[in-house]
Amino acid sequence: PRCGNEFVNKNQYHSCNHYTLASLFDGKPDHIKDLFDRFRNMVEACGPVKVLAYRDRVGFMVRVRFAAAVPKTKWLDIGFWLTRRVEDARFHKIETLYPNTHVHLLRVTELGQLDDQVAEWVKEAYAVGRQEHLA
């Protein structure tokens, strides 16, 4: 599109507005940005990734968007797409969109919650973002 956004599908519906990461953290406590930075580091440790600022969230994309972070005043909501449903009490919510499309949502309030297990799920989601499951 004219705005320069990249999409997998032609003529995909979107907003052409431009947002910045800084604007997403305006008015938020510093520890929310710290949580985001830890999550972003986990995502970027997987390989090259595009970081996309939207009105109310940050998306992470390789070929397709596979993860997101939504900064709130008291927590950071993070989500990622896995091809399998993972039952874990830490998930705030799991949305099953299709048989092999499960969006797992975590509500993070402290850095320790972003542990090695979350990093493993993020690696798995990164592979989904590369669409390796379609090969």
Side-chain angles (χ1 to χ4, degrees), residues 9 44 77 81 110 122 127 131:
N9 301 313
E44 290 178 338
D77 280 337
W81 171 14
E110 52 191 62
V122 168
Q131 294 188 311

Side-chain angles (χ1 to χ4, degrees), residues 77-104:
D77 280 337
I78 62 170
F80 39 85
W81 171 14
L82 300 177
T83 57
R84 65 189 178 98
R85 186 179 176 96
V86 176
E87 299 297 339
D88 190 294
R90 295 190 286 176
F91 290 120
H92 172 66
K93 186 177 186 182
I94 302 173
E95 296 178 358
T96 299
L97 305 176
Y98 298 103
N100 292 328
T101 304
H102 308 278
V103 178
H104 295 72

Side-chain angles (χ1 to χ4, degrees), residues 11-93:
N11 298 321
Q12 185 168 330
Y13 177 79
H14 70 286
S15 167
C16 282
N17 293 330
H18 290 278
Y19 300 95
T20 65
L21 284 178
S23 68
L24 287 168
F25 294 94
D26 284 346
K28 305 286 190 303
D30 291 342
H31 78 279
I32 301 301
K33 180 69 164 71
D34 294 341
L35 294 171
F36 172 76
D37 289 342
R38 170 79 60 93
F39 182 63
R40 180 179 181 173
N41 288 338
M42 282 182 168
V43 172
E44 290 178 338
C46 298
V49 64
K50 292 176 185 154
V51 180
L52 308 164
Y54 299 103
R55 181 184 56 81
D56 63 347
R57 71 190 63 238
V58 179
F60 297 94
M61 180 174 158
V62 187
R63 175 149 163 68
V64 298
R65 284 175 290 225
F66 65 92
V70 182
K72 301 291 188 177
T73 304
K74 295 184 179 181
W75 59 76
L76 179 73
D77 280 337
I78 62 170
F80 39 85
W81 171 14
L82 300 177
T83 57
R84 65 189 178 98
R85 186 179 176 96
V86 176
E87 299 297 339
D88 190 294
R90 295 190 286 176
F91 290 120
H92 172 66
K93 186 177 186 182

